[in-house]
Amino acid sequence: MATKPKIAIIVSSTRPTRFADIPTAWIKAQAEARDDLTVEVLDLRDYPMPFFAEVASNAWAPTQDPVAVKWQKKLAEYDGYIFVLAEYNRSITAVLKNALDQAYVEWAKKPFGAIGYGSMGAANAIGHLQNIGVELQMVPTRHNVRIGGSDFFRVHPGFGGSGNLADIEAGILPAAKGMLDDVVWWANATKAARG
Protein backbone atom coordinates (compact mmCIF):
# COMPACT_ATOMS: atom_id res chain seq x y z
CA MET A 1 0.00 0.00 0.00
CA ALA A 2 1.33 3.43 -0.94
CA THR A 3 2.13 5.87 1.81
CA LYS A 4 0.02 8.98 2.15
CA PRO A 5 1.53 12.09 0.60
CA LYS A 6 3.12 14.46 3.10
CA ILE A 7 2.04 18.05 2.46
CA ALA A 8 3.51 21.24 3.93
CA ILE A 9 1.20 24.16 4.70
CA ILE A 10 3.44 27.21 4.21
CA VAL A 11 2.54 30.43 6.03
CA SER A 12 3.60 33.24 3.66
CA SER A 13 3.31 36.28 5.93
CA THR A 14 5.65 37.08 8.79
CA ARG A 15 4.00 40.32 9.94
CA PRO A 16 3.27 40.58 13.67
CA THR A 17 -0.35 41.50 12.87
CA ARG A 18 -0.88 38.88 10.17
CA PHE A 19 -4.25 37.31 9.45
CA ALA A 20 -2.53 34.14 8.18
CA ASP A 21 -2.85 32.17 11.40
CA ILE A 22 -6.64 31.99 11.02
CA PRO A 23 -6.77 30.44 7.52
CA THR A 24 -3.74 28.28 8.38
CA ALA A 25 -5.57 26.67 11.30
CA TRP A 26 -8.72 26.26 9.20
CA ILE A 27 -7.08 24.58 6.19
CA LYS A 28 -4.99 22.39 8.50
CA ALA A 29 -8.19 21.19 10.19
CA GLN A 30 -9.79 20.48 6.79
CA ALA A 31 -6.74 18.47 5.71
CA GLU A 32 -6.50 16.58 9.00
CA ALA A 33 -10.15 15.52 8.68
CA ARG A 34 -9.15 13.48 5.61
CA ASP A 35 -7.43 10.11 5.55
CA ASP A 36 -5.50 10.51 2.29
CA LEU A 37 -2.69 12.90 3.32
CA THR A 38 -0.64 14.14 6.24
CA VAL A 39 0.13 17.82 6.81
CA GLU A 40 2.59 19.96 8.72
CA VAL A 41 2.71 23.74 9.04
CA LEU A 42 5.92 25.52 7.96
CA ASP A 43 6.05 29.12 9.12
CA LEU A 44 8.41 31.45 7.28
CA ARG A 45 9.01 33.19 10.61
CA ASP A 46 11.07 30.11 11.51
CA TYR A 47 13.32 30.53 8.44
CA PRO A 48 14.71 34.11 8.53
CA MET A 49 16.62 33.91 5.25
CA PRO A 50 18.51 36.87 3.83
CA PHE A 51 17.47 38.15 0.42
CA PHE A 52 18.63 35.70 -2.22
CA ALA A 53 22.29 36.43 -2.91
CA GLU A 54 23.65 33.04 -3.98
CA VAL A 55 25.79 32.54 -7.09
CA ALA A 56 22.82 30.77 -8.69
CA SER A 57 19.81 28.66 -7.80
CA ASN A 58 20.60 25.37 -6.09
CA ALA A 59 19.77 23.68 -9.38
CA TRP A 60 23.16 24.99 -10.56
CA ALA A 61 25.30 25.66 -7.49
CA PRO A 62 25.26 24.60 -3.83
CA THR A 63 23.61 27.10 -1.50
CA GLN A 64 25.93 28.74 1.04
CA ASP A 65 23.52 30.39 3.49
CA PRO A 66 22.87 27.98 6.41
CA VAL A 67 19.24 29.06 6.94
CA ALA A 68 18.48 28.57 3.24
CA VAL A 69 20.10 25.11 3.39
CA LYS A 70 17.92 24.30 6.42
CA TRP A 71 14.87 25.51 4.42
CA GLN A 72 15.83 23.34 1.44
CA LYS A 73 16.27 20.25 3.61
CA LYS A 74 12.87 20.80 5.23
CA LEU A 75 11.13 21.31 1.87
CA ALA A 76 12.66 18.08 0.56
CA GLU A 77 10.61 16.12 3.11
CA TYR A 78 7.31 16.92 1.35
CA ASP A 79 5.38 15.61 -1.63
CA GLY A 80 3.43 18.84 -2.15
CA TYR A 81 2.54 22.19 -0.66
CA ILE A 82 -0.37 24.42 0.32
CA PHE A 83 0.46 28.11 0.54
CA VAL A 84 -1.48 30.34 2.93
CA LEU A 85 -1.21 33.36 0.72
CA ALA A 86 -1.57 37.00 1.66
CA GLU A 87 -1.94 39.44 -1.23
CA TYR A 88 0.17 42.58 -0.86
CA ASN A 89 -0.20 45.21 -3.59
CA ARG A 90 -1.55 42.65 -6.09
CA SER A 91 1.18 40.06 -5.59
CA ILE A 92 2.69 37.58 -3.16
CA THR A 93 4.64 38.68 -0.09
CA ALA A 94 8.32 39.53 -0.49
CA VAL A 95 9.25 36.95 2.14
CA LEU A 96 7.47 34.22 0.15
CA LYS A 97 9.12 35.24 -3.13
CA ASN A 98 12.48 35.06 -1.38
CA ALA A 99 11.64 31.63 0.09
CA LEU A 100 10.65 30.37 -3.36
CA ASP A 101 13.91 31.68 -4.84
CA GLN A 102 16.02 30.04 -2.10
CA ALA A 103 15.18 26.55 -3.40
CA TYR A 104 14.63 24.92 -6.77
CA VAL A 105 15.47 21.24 -6.63
CA GLU A 106 13.12 20.73 -3.68
CA TRP A 107 10.10 22.37 -5.38
CA ALA A 108 10.47 20.66 -8.76
CA LYS A 109 7.86 18.16 -9.92
CA LYS A 110 5.60 18.62 -6.90
CA PRO A 111 2.09 20.12 -6.70
CA PHE A 112 0.81 23.09 -4.78
CA GLY A 113 -2.49 24.72 -3.96
CA ALA A 114 -3.31 27.91 -2.10
CA ILE A 115 -5.70 29.47 0.35
CA GLY A 116 -5.44 33.16 -0.41
CA TYR A 117 -6.89 36.20 1.26
CA GLY A 118 -7.22 39.91 0.67
CA SER A 119 -9.81 42.38 -0.57
CA MET A 120 -9.85 40.65 -3.99
CA GLY A 121 -9.46 37.11 -2.64
CA ALA A 122 -5.74 37.06 -3.48
CA ALA A 123 -6.61 36.52 -7.15
CA ASN A 124 -3.51 38.35 -8.38
CA ALA A 125 -1.23 36.76 -5.79
CA ILE A 126 -2.47 33.27 -6.64
CA GLY A 127 -1.90 33.97 -10.33
CA HIS A 128 1.63 35.21 -9.66
CA LEU A 129 2.36 32.21 -7.46
CA GLN A 130 1.14 29.85 -10.19
CA ASN A 131 3.45 31.49 -12.74
CA ILE A 132 6.42 31.29 -10.37
CA GLY A 133 5.56 27.68 -9.58
CA VAL A 134 5.55 26.72 -13.26
CA GLU A 135 9.05 28.19 -13.62
CA LEU A 136 10.12 26.08 -10.63
CA GLN A 137 8.68 22.99 -12.42
CA MET A 138 5.85 22.72 -9.91
CA VAL A 139 2.27 21.69 -10.64
CA PRO A 140 -0.29 24.37 -9.69
CA THR A 141 -3.76 23.12 -8.84
CA ARG A 142 -6.79 24.44 -10.66
CA HIS A 143 -8.82 24.72 -7.46
CA ASN A 144 -7.77 27.17 -4.76
CA VAL A 145 -9.51 28.88 -1.84
CA ARG A 146 -10.09 32.62 -2.12
CA ILE A 147 -11.22 34.70 0.85
CA GLY A 148 -12.10 38.14 -0.44
CA GLY A 149 -14.54 41.00 -0.49
CA SER A 150 -17.12 41.15 2.27
CA ASP A 151 -16.16 37.64 3.47
CA PHE A 152 -12.60 38.82 4.12
CA PHE A 153 -13.75 41.82 6.15
CA ARG A 154 -16.34 39.70 7.96
CA VAL A 155 -13.66 37.39 9.40
CA HIS A 156 -10.57 39.62 9.68
CA PRO A 157 -10.22 40.79 13.32
CA GLY A 158 -8.21 43.83 12.21
CA PHE A 159 -11.32 45.15 10.49
CA GLY A 160 -13.74 44.25 13.27
CA GLY A 161 -14.40 40.76 11.92
CA SER A 162 -15.05 37.62 13.91
CA GLY A 163 -11.71 35.87 13.41
CA ASN A 164 -13.65 32.69 12.70
CA LEU A 165 -13.76 31.13 9.22
CA ALA A 166 -16.78 29.09 10.31
CA ASP A 167 -18.73 32.28 9.55
CA ILE A 168 -17.92 31.92 5.81
CA GLU A 169 -17.24 28.19 5.65
CA ALA A 170 -20.23 27.34 3.48
CA GLY A 171 -18.79 29.52 0.73
CA ILE A 172 -15.19 28.28 0.87
CA LEU A 173 -15.54 24.61 1.84
CA PRO A 174 -16.20 23.36 -1.73
CA ALA A 175 -13.07 25.14 -2.98
CA ALA A 176 -11.03 23.69 -0.11
CA LYS A 177 -12.22 20.18 -0.93
CA GLY A 178 -11.39 20.69 -4.60
CA MET A 179 -7.94 22.05 -3.82
CA LEU A 180 -7.13 19.27 -1.36
CA ASP A 181 -8.37 16.66 -3.84
CA ASP A 182 -6.11 18.18 -6.52
CA VAL A 183 -3.06 18.37 -4.25
CA VAL A 184 -3.48 14.74 -3.17
CA TRP A 185 -4.02 13.46 -6.73
CA TRP A 186 -1.03 15.34 -8.12
CA ALA A 187 1.13 14.49 -5.10
CA ASN A 188 0.47 10.79 -5.66
CA ALA A 189 1.04 11.09 -9.42
CA THR A 190 4.25 13.12 -9.20
CA LYS A 191 5.60 11.05 -6.31
CA ALA A 192 5.19 7.89 -8.41
CA ALA A 193 6.76 9.59 -11.45
CA ARG A 194 9.72 10.87 -9.41
CA GLY A 195 10.22 7.40 -7.92
Side-chain angles (χ1 to χ4, degrees), residues 11-78:
V11 186
S12 75
S13 174
T14 58
R15 288 168 57 182
T17 58
R18 70 183 182 189
F19 174 69
D21 298 320
I22 294 168
T24 297
W26 185 84
I27 198 63
K28 183 175 185 271
Q30 301 310 309
E32 288 176 337
R34 300 168 61 112
D35 64 2
D36 57 353
L37 76 159
T38 61
V39 293
E40 181 180 354
V41 173
L42 291 185
D43 193 333
L44 290 180
R45 286 178 175 168
D46 298 329
Y47 297 88
M49 293 172 274
F51 281 119
F52 183 75
E54 300 291 335
V55 172
S57 127
N58 71 334
W60 304 106
T63 298
Q64 301 303 305
D65 180 75
V67 181
V69 171
K70 177 184 169 188
W71 173 243
Q72 292 165 357
K73 287 180 179 177
K74 190 63 179 173
L75 291 176
E77 297 176 14
Y78 302 97

Side-chain angles (χ1 to χ4, degrees), residues 19 22 26 151 154-157 161-169:
F19 174 69
I22 294 168
W26 185 84
D151 283 347
R154 183 174 175 196
V155 297
H156 194 304
S162 68
N164 188 350
L165 293 194
D167 292 346
I168 60 167
E169 190 169 84

